[in-house]
Amino acid sequence: MIDPPSNELHTAERRVELGQTVDYEIQLLVEEAHLVGWTRVEFLTAVMDVANARLSAIEEERELDQGSA
């Protein structure tokens, strides 16, 4: 389970905290996937592909929202 942030928005400490949180969660996912038969590289590649697709969708949504404002 991911804990809520303990630092203020837009601070270096918050960015470090988030990086540590994400790193830990990704490590857990990678090891779980590896235990059931996925290679670490293929799993991490899929994670990056999905993350990039989600970022693209968010960017498109922002553009649509700005265009209608």
Side-chain angles (χ1 to χ4, degrees), residues 8-53:
E8 294 293 320
L9 193 60
H10 306 298
T11 62
E13 293 84 5
R14 184 178 172 113
R15 185 176 176 140
V16 169
E17 179 183 15
L18 180 57
Q20 291 171 343
T21 298
V22 171
D23 183 58
Y24 178 74
E25 295 298 329
I26 293 291
Q27 284 180 29
L28 292 177
L29 286 172
V30 167
E31 289 311 309
E32 183 178 345
H34 183 70
L35 287 173
V36 299
W38 300 102
T39 69
R40 289 176 178 95
V41 170
E42 74 180 326
F43 185 80
L44 282 172
T45 300
V47 168
M48 290 188 317
D49 290 346
V50 170
N52 284 330

Side-chain angles (χ1 to χ4, degrees), residues 45-64:
T45 300
V47 168
M48 290 188 317
D49 290 346
V50 170
N52 284 330
R54 287 185 174 263
L55 282 172
S56 292
I58 290 169
E59 289 171 1
E60 288 176 21
E61 188 176 297
R62 281 185 184 169
E63 289 172 4
L64 290 173

